[in-house]
Amino acid sequence: MSTTESRERTINLGAGPSMLPTNVILEASKGFIDYEGSGIGVAELSHRSARFKTILSNAENDLRSLMNIPENYAVLFMQGGGTEQFSASLLNMLAAHAAKHGEGRTTAPPVDYVVSGTWSSKAVKEARRLTSRVNVVCDMTSMLGDPNAKIPSPDSWQLSSIDEYPAMLYYCDNETIHGFEFPQDFIKQLPPAYRERVPIVADCSSNILSRPIDVRAHGIIFFGAQKNVGPSGVTIAIVRRDLIVDPDAFKSPYVPPIPAMLVYKNMADNDSLYNTPPSFPIYVSGIVFRDLIAQGGITKSQERAEAKSELVYKILDAYPDVYKPTVAHQGFRSHMNITFRVLNCSTHEPSPEAESKLISFFSEHDIVEIKGHRSIGGIRISLYNVVTLKQAEKVASLLKQFAEST
């Protein structure tokens, strides 16, 4: 059996690093060996060379086209994953705040955080290491599995007063571990004066390019590549240019020294070439961007994401004695990461044994990487852009077969 036949047979539903399109892998493998007949592979190209600068420029232009990114936003190709951006986004927003509002100010401004699962909780933990006034405006984690708990709307969050000029509001658009995804229009529910004054920071690592996002409504959008974009190693930050400042140009008692690699201005001034970038992941990401444009862009991605996830959720809800979704509220369930527990048929309680049986059953049918995150257990089915409707149909069919045989 050839390598590509084996790839096509196996459905990898891992949460990241995740599956990449076979046609992208084939093109990238050629470039890895010999890029455009140069006799040099992409991973060997000098990042200062004209060839690599063209790769980088094309990737940025295609991403701008896909996401409708205005020119007053910089696109920065960085490293360190979303976790590093927990620090970078906060530190740069504190610096931007100090540049605009910090003259004579000795106390740190508040920074607002929405907690909706593991990754936003980690962002809060990192923020508390770096600044003194971290305000959790809403923690909905404990509400996700309770159908009787109402998820608080943004107009009821305990936001910091705009008179204190909060430095930012952070949220995680899609929680990969808990399977929670914000409705698309929730930002519009924030008070207009708050939206106008406070930079909004979105972590979109696990649902980027799966649905439209209003770039202009945000100060920063960041995401790691390893789910919907490309191989792990490159992290992209989209930053409004007026928020990019030189933290060394002034002194502020509430802005700690920022490591040079985390300073957005260093990256923006050097076209993401402040140091040697993750060149091959950027190259593959650029191929993915072109491939997505050829498939109809984000509009078509959203249509496919909704159709695929609906197939799976429909089966989960049809067998409540067998499956229990992690997120009880249908309007907040992720289209990318479907998380649930498998129940004991007698006690109707989550059963690790039953979940192991489901994992083995799926493996027998060449579907792998559905085990839930170690922190919460259960099952996680990740339906990123590369997963086809036909593959989602197979997943739904097997879930139905398993439920009916239990």
Side-chain angles (χ1 to χ4, degrees), residues 133-328:
R133 298 185 64 194
V134 179
N135 174 38
V136 175
V137 303
C138 177
D139 186 345
M140 57 189 71
T141 310
S142 63
M143 309 171 190
L144 303 183
D146 184 357
N148 298 315
K150 182 180 179 182
I151 302 295
S153 59
D155 57 7
S156 68
W157 294 348
Q158 300 301 305
L159 300 166
S160 298
S161 168
I162 59 172
D163 294 333
E164 293 191 87
Y165 289 93
M168 58 181 272
L169 167 70
Y170 163 94
Y171 74 98
C172 182
D173 203 31
N174 185 81
E175 290 279 2
T176 320
I177 293 175
H178 282 83
F180 173 94
E181 187 171 30
F182 276 105
Q184 282 187 271
D185 63 348
F186 92 98
I187 284 185
K188 295 179 181 178
Q189 299 174 39
L190 288 166
Y194 186 94
R195 281 189 284 132
E196 182 179 345
R197 184 171 293 186
V198 181
I200 297 174
V201 177
D203 176 354
C204 296
S205 291
S206 53
N207 68 345
I208 197 68
L209 304 181
S210 69
R211 65 182 191 177
I213 183 169
D214 184 0
V215 176
R216 293 168 178 81
H218 295 79
I220 303 171
I221 296 171
F222 67 78
F223 49 94
Q226 66 274 13
K227 303 177 188 300
N228 261 343
V229 176
S232 58
V234 61
T235 302
I236 298 174
I238 301 166
V239 187
R240 206 173 70 216
R241 294 187 190 277
D242 67 298
L243 297 172
I244 298 175
V245 302
D246 180 0
D248 297 327
F250 55 88
K251 289 186 178 180
S252 169
Y254 60 82
V255 182
I258 305 178
M261 284 296 296
L262 301 188
V263 176
Y264 288 153
K265 184 171 175 57
N266 289 342
M267 292 296 171
D269 288 352
N270 290 277
D271 296 324
S272 299
L273 298 174
Y274 182 72
N275 73 322
T276 306
S279 53
F280 190 71
I282 291 173
Y283 170 62
V284 180
S285 298
I287 301 173
V288 171
F289 297 153
R290 291 202 313 271
D291 187 59
L292 189 56
I293 290 171
Q295 293 182 53
I298 293 178
T299 298
K300 290 298 182 181
S301 290
Q302 182 179 25
E303 291 176 5
R304 290 189 291 267
E306 291 175 350
K308 291 182 298 184
S309 59
E310 183 180 2
L311 285 169
V312 176
Y313 283 123
K314 185 176 180 180
I315 298 299
L316 298 183
D317 290 336
Y319 296 93
D321 293 334
V322 180
Y323 303 121
K324 182 180 180 181
T326 306
V327 178

Side-chain angles (χ1 to χ4, degrees), residues 22-160:
T22 297
N23 63 307
V24 169
I25 290 290
L26 289 173
E27 182 177 346
S29 65
K30 294 176 184 177
F32 187 81
I33 297 170
D34 182 357
Y35 180 66
E36 294 188 341
S38 65
I40 302 174
V42 171
E44 304 164 296
L45 286 174
S46 167
H47 62 292
R48 305 294 180 191
S49 68
R51 283 192 176 98
F52 183 73
K53 288 181 180 180
T54 298
I55 289 172
L56 185 63
S57 176
N58 288 342
E60 176 178 338
N61 290 338
D62 286 339
L63 182 61
R64 284 185 180 276
S65 175
L66 279 167
M67 295 183 62
N68 191 25
I69 301 173
E71 284 302 317
N72 65 320
Y73 283 75
V75 176
L76 311 177
F77 292 83
M78 302 180 70
Q79 302 179 53
T83 301
E84 190 169 276
Q85 287 302 312
F86 295 160
S87 307
S89 59
L90 170 64
L91 292 172
N92 281 274
M93 289 307 92
L94 286 174
H97 182 280
K100 188 173 183 179
H101 306 293
E103 186 175 355
R105 182 168 182 153
T106 58
T107 59
V111 286
D112 288 349
Y113 281 75
V114 185
V115 175
S116 55
T118 298
W119 293 111
S120 47
S121 295
K122 288 178 179 290
V124 167
K125 184 177 180 180
E126 181 67 0
R128 286 175 171 154
R129 292 181 62 249
L130 299 172
T131 190
S132 60
R133 298 185 64 194
V134 179
N135 174 38
V136 175
V137 303
C138 177
D139 186 345
M140 57 189 71
T141 310
S142 63
M143 309 171 190
L144 303 183
D146 184 357
N148 298 315
K150 182 180 179 182
I151 302 295
S153 59
D155 57 7
S156 68
W157 294 348
Q158 300 301 305
L159 300 166
S160 298

